[in-house]
Amino acid sequence: MSQKCLAFNIMQGGFQKEDAEKLITEEMVNHIEKDTKSSSTRLLSFLALIHWYVPGSHLSKLVCEEFIDPTKQPSDEDNPKLETIMKPFEDLIDIFSEEQEDRCVRLAHRVIADACLKRFTEHNVTRSDIALDFLNSMVKGKESNYGEICKNIFITRLETGKRKEQFSRLILDIMHESGYNHNQCIDLLEMAANLFSTDPYYPQTLARFYYIKVKEDNKYEKAEKWAEEAIKRNPNNSRIRDTLGQVHKNHLLSEAKNPSSDFKKCLAIAQSATDAFKKEEIAAENDPEDRTTFSYSGLLGFLQVCKIMNDTRFGKSYERRKHLNYISGLRGDVESRYDFFEWYLAFSRPSFEKEDPEYIHRDVENCYKKYFTQTAETTLNEKKMKSFGGLLHFLKSDINVVKEHQRALKHPQSDNETQTVLYILANIVLSQSGEQREQAEELQARLQKLWLREMQDRSPEFYLLILLLFWPDEAQPGITNPPNLENCVQYMGQSYERKYQKYLRGRYLVPLFFFGKEKGLQRLVHELKLDQINLELLTEGDGNADTECLQRINGEVKNQEVFAVRDGQQIPVTPHDPSSACKPGQVSFYLGFNIRGPVAYNIRYEENLSLQRSHVNRVL
């Protein structure tokens, strides 16, 4: 295939694997077989490696020319030396210019890179050989020029479905190619770790490789060494610190499976693990605010270690006594971390489309049950009845639990805000199944008394209940001076910033309730009462979508901000889709509430609807 045909096929998107195979001529194969150590063959292997694992990657022409063996340089000054030395492979290579860069060299297509790597493998030049040669010959001494490309090749893990792959694609391919000979990967990663001597991600990857893939008896000691080296390079990064905790946790899990587990050894490993996770938690608290999400791995890892130690059984009586004392000392730590996940998982998830992995919820609850075990399920349900996040959980799991425990719902003291908030939420939860202890008017009166006290530093949960019960659709008779919802939304946002912003940043805040058409507490509609079609219409549909059980709220868009307009109030509302608030005008929308405040879903510009109706009337 000529260069012109190749270029045309690539431009048309019609370049296939078969085309790449045809491009690699017998002459090229003979050149590779005859002289695998030549500059041209090695340079081709580098170009194939980087283009396959980092699509579109290239090397500068100047660097390629510096790499070429001086003894092989062409003597004819009229011929460009790179083009001459690479002539056997000229149909595979693209030399081009980029803005503000020297001339660049790359393979003409990623499929060609794959075909070349397979040809090299057939001639006993493995991916591991090529990568080691690339590090030694191109990267060494010029590490700053190759930092990004090497990180993509050796470190970056691809997303596959719900989870990331365990290692970079190159490392996984080398394992497969070598028949799972771990030494090749270790040698490669060690060289990279030594070259990039301040980068923590290479020793971190080595530590992970040792404890996940290696089978040797001393693998945990080696993993610990590299995990500590990673921390030394960046001690303030919580995600780097997490690896040391994971090494100890997996070591403990391995020891605990041994029927003759030694208590002293298990205890030492467990303490090393919990210490590592506690230090990770501190680092996570101090992670920079521009970090995309808060890292909860230290909190979860701590609970997982506690569960492993609780599950482990030791034979000797004095060991069992020490074991029980150790377990007893962890109860407070277990409860505080359980409390974190209870609200964290109730208020948020990774994104609108993505749920948290099921094992997080499972591991957190199972650990709590292990440490509060008289009657595990009853104890856990009683615990949930005493927290906002726990009560919300029953809406997704089993609302009957709240019914069974409603006798335990004592009328709160009028000045006790925490008790009142939980009591009102329990009534809202019960109302979702048609039951409640008090009517909306009575609950409003309780909240009204607390609102008038004008306390500082109230929780977002308190302001959420104010919005749910006092949203100006039906002002209840008998209550004068209702809460100012403009102020409420402002206070709620400030409270959210103080209490939850650090932990929930970068996550999707789930709608806890929507505003429906019924009266009293029945006007609050939980997400699970909406079918998937209605949810998609709310979040993805255009402004013409209608959801039968929900009420549209009138509002206005000004300066790309959305307001609900009611009784002279302009209540700020966050648009679920900011792009839908694209211009000033009168709008309507469906109203949801998350832990940060009210949210406008499916924004409809009313003038558009008027024009559509006018058009229909003219047609009729």
Side-chain angles (χ1 to χ4, degrees):
M1 183 183 293
S2 70
Q3 278 282 14
K4 287 184 178 179
C5 289
L6 170 63
F8 180 78
N9 275 356
I10 291 175
M11 288 175 63
Q12 295 299 312
F15 193 72
Q16 303 295 328
K17 181 179 178 180
E18 299 76 29
D19 298 322
E21 295 289 346
K22 291 174 186 175
L23 271 177
I24 302 176
T25 63
E26 187 174 344
E27 180 185 355
M28 294 178 190
V29 173
N30 290 337
H31 186 90
I32 292 171
E33 185 176 12
K34 178 183 175 183
D35 202 353
T36 57
K37 300 296 183 183
S38 71
S39 299
S40 56
T41 303
R42 291 165 65 204
L43 187 55
L44 177 70
S45 72
F46 300 159
L47 293 169
L49 181 81
I50 65 173
H51 199 146
W52 177 245
Y53 290 104
V54 189
S57 295
H58 58 262
L59 299 174
S60 83
K61 186 169 182 281
L62 182 61
V63 165
C64 293
E65 289 172 343
E66 289 174 354
F67 168 75
I68 293 171
D69 185 348
T71 63
K72 301 289 185 180
Q73 295 286 0
S75 56
D76 186 352
E77 293 296 330
D78 294 332
N79 288 327
K81 54 186 178 182
L82 179 66
E83 286 84 342
T84 304
I85 204 76
M86 295 299 291
K87 189 166 182 61
F89 309 114
E90 63 180 345
D91 286 345
L92 309 180
I93 291 172
D94 179 24
I95 299 177
F96 63 99
S97 296
E98 283 202 343
E99 290 183 15
Q100 299 179 340
E101 269 197 48
D102 296 328
R103 298 267 285 167
C104 302
V105 184
R106 69 181 172 201
L107 292 192
H109 197 280
R110 189 166 181 250
V111 178
I112 296 174
D114 184 36
C116 287
L117 288 173
K118 288 174 181 174
R119 291 291 188 181
F120 279 112
T121 302
E122 290 168 5
H123 291 85
N124 298 318
V125 181
T126 66
R127 283 168 166 79
S128 175
D129 295 331
I130 297 169
L132 281 169
D133 192 13
F134 178 69
L135 288 175
N136 260 319
S137 304
M138 301 293 281
V139 177
K140 191 174 182 179
K142 300 176 182 177
E143 290 84 359
S144 61
N145 296 337
Y146 294 95
E148 197 62 35
I149 197 168
C150 284
K151 189 169 286 187
N152 283 324
I153 292 173
F154 300 112
I155 303 296
T156 302
R157 298 151 58 194
L158 298 179
E159 296 274 359
T160 54
K162 294 182 179 180
R163 305 189 74 173
K164 285 184 177 180
E165 291 187 336
Q166 285 186 324
F167 297 95
S168 75
R169 176 48 52 190
L170 173 64
I171 297 299
L172 294 173
D173 285 346
I174 289 173
M175 287 185 63
H176 179 73
E177 188 177 77
S178 65
Y180 295 89
N181 179 345
H182 300 129
N183 290 332
Q184 290 187 9
C185 294
I186 290 170
D187 290 345
L188 189 58
L189 289 170
E190 282 187 355
M191 175 177 281
N194 291 329
L195 287 176
F196 296 96
S197 57
T198 61
D199 191 314
Y201 293 103
Y202 293 96
Q204 181 193 43
T205 301
L206 262 167
R208 292 184 64 256
F209 191 85
Y210 267 111
Y211 85 76
I212 293 172
K213 292 296 184 184
V214 174
K215 305 298 182 186
E216 298 169 11
D217 291 339
N218 64 343
K219 69 174 191 171
Y220 293 110
E221 288 78 5
K222 291 184 176 179
E224 181 181 356
K225 168 199 155 188
W226 284 108
E228 287 177 341
E229 172 62 25
I231 291 171
K232 191 186 300 182
R233 295 183 183 190
N234 192 345
N236 299 321
N237 187 315
S238 62
R239 288 168 172 81
I240 293 296
R241 282 194 169 275
D242 181 62
T243 303
L244 181 59
Q246 299 298 337
V247 169
H248 291 310
K249 184 188 81 177
N250 281 271
H251 191 185
L252 176 64
L253 194 58
S254 175
E255 285 294 326
K257 289 177 182 176
N258 186 345
S260 57
S261 301
D262 177 70
F263 173 73
K264 190 177 288 187
K265 184 175 183 180
C266 284
L267 179 61
I269 299 170
Q271 287 176 331
S272 294
T274 53
D275 286 348
F277 284 129
K278 281 182 176 179
K279 289 176 181 176
E280 179 190 349
E281 290 171 25
I282 294 170
E285 288 284 342
N286 296 310
D287 273 342
E289 286 294 322
D290 59 1
R291 182 69 57 82
T292 309
T293 56
F294 176 79
S295 175
Y296 58 73
S297 298
L299 295 156
L300 181 62
F302 187 98
L303 290 176
Q304 290 169 331
V305 169
C306 291
K307 182 180 179 298
I308 294 168
M309 279 301 283
N310 197 299
D311 287 342
T312 307
R313 296 292 173 259
F314 300 98
K316 298 174 183 177
S317 58
Y318 78 90
E319 288 183 338
R320 289 198 295 272
R321 285 195 301 274
K322 288 183 177 180
H323 182 223
L324 288 173
N325 289 337
Y326 175 73
I327 294 300
S328 178
L330 291 172
R331 284 166 63 95
D333 287 330
V334 167
E335 184 159 30
S336 65
R337 287 159 179 80
Y338 171 85
D339 290 342
F340 169 88
F341 282 104
E342 194 168 65
W343 58 257
Y344 185 83
L345 297 174
F347 295 154
S348 69
R349 60 176 181 252
S351 67
F352 173 68
E353 301 85 6
K354 188 177 179 182
E355 297 282 350
D356 285 292
E358 178 57 33
Y359 73 85
I360 297 177
H361 188 268
R362 182 192 66 234
D363 287 358
V364 169
E365 289 207 345
N366 286 346
C367 182
Y368 184 86
K369 291 177 189 177
K370 292 286 183 183
Y371 280 78
F372 299 86
T373 55
Q374 290 76 20
T375 51
E377 204 62 52
T378 302
T379 303
L380 182 58
N381 286 334
E382 289 171 352
K383 166 77 171 168
K384 290 178 180 178
M385 289 289 294
K386 297 174 183 176
S387 72
F388 204 92
L391 283 167
L392 289 173
H393 171 80
F394 291 125
L395 287 168
K396 291 186 175 182
S397 57
D398 187 2
I399 202 170
N400 289 320
V401 174
V402 185
K403 293 180 185 178
E404 292 166 7
H405 286 77
Q406 62 177 306
R407 288 185 180 179
L409 290 174
K410 298 177 181 178
H411 290 283
Q413 299 175 14
S414 61
D415 61 344
N416 189 313
E417 188 167 304
T418 301
Q419 288 181 10
T420 302
V421 164
L422 292 177
Y423 180 77
I424 292 173
L425 179 62
N427 274 273
I428 292 173
V429 171
L430 285 169
S431 74
Q432 298 297 297
S433 63
E435 298 186 25
Q436 61 197 68
R437 292 286 297 276
E438 289 191 12
Q439 296 302 309
E441 296 86 351
E442 297 169 297
L443 299 175
Q444 284 178 320
R446 292 181 182 277
L447 269 183
Q448 176 78 352
K449 288 180 182 177
L450 293 174
W451 173 265
L452 293 174
R453 288 162 56 188
E454 296 186 356
M455 291 174 57
Q456 299 295 316
D457 298 330
R458 280 175 154 151
S459 68
E461 291 88 336
F462 173 80
Y463 295 115
L464 173 65
L465 293 182
I466 292 286
L467 292 175
L468 293 179
L469 267 65
F470 288 95
W471 191 266
D473 176 61
E474 45 174 320
Q476 297 295 334
I479 294 183
T480 58
N481 190 26
N484 182 309
L485 296 194
E486 292 182 47
N487 292 341
C488 179
V489 171
Q490 179 186 348
Y491 299 154
M492 187 175 182
Q494 293 167 351
S495 179
Y496 173 85
E497 292 281 335
R498 288 193 304 270
K499 189 173 182 181
Y500 293 130
Q501 171 62 29
K502 176 197 289 189
Y503 305 104
L504 299 181
R505 67 180 186 269
R507 285 174 64 88
Y508 175 71
L509 301 182
V510 300
L512 303 174
F513 294 96
F514 289 96
F515 195 80
K517 294 179 178 178
E518 301 295 327
K519 302 297 182 183
L521 296 186
Q522 277 69 42
R523 72 179 183 171
L524 302 177
V525 179
H526 187 257
E527 180 183 17
L528 289 183
K529 285 197 171 184
L530 300 174
D531 59 33
Q532 190 61 34
I533 293 175
N534 278 327
L535 276 174
E536 288 176 2
L537 287 174
L538 273 177
T539 54
E540 299 173 15
D542 60 29
N544 297 319
D546 284 310
T547 303
E548 188 173 337
C549 65
L550 300 184
Q551 180 182 160
R552 275 199 172 270
I553 304 296
N554 292 324
E556 184 178 4
V557 175
K558 294 190 295 186
N559 299 321
Q560 296 184 315
E561 293 182 337
V562 183
F563 299 87
V565 179
R566 182 78 181 192
D567 298 334
Q569 293 190 75
Q570 289 200 328
I571 306 166
V573 181
T574 302
H576 181 263
D577 176 11
S579 66
S580 64
C582 54
K583 61 180 181 178
Q586 301 300 311
V587 296
S588 67
F589 48 81
Y590 293 115
L591 184 65
F593 302 90
N594 62 32
I595 196 59
R596 188 169 54 196
V599 181
Y601 292 83
N602 197 255
I603 294 174
R604 172 192 294 168
Y605 280 86
E606 292 305 316
E607 63 265 28
N608 292 347
L609 189 61
S610 300
L611 287 172
Q612 289 174 13
R613 287 171 179 163
S614 174
H615 175 71
V616 169
N617 290 335
R618 285 199 302 272
V619 171
L620 293 174

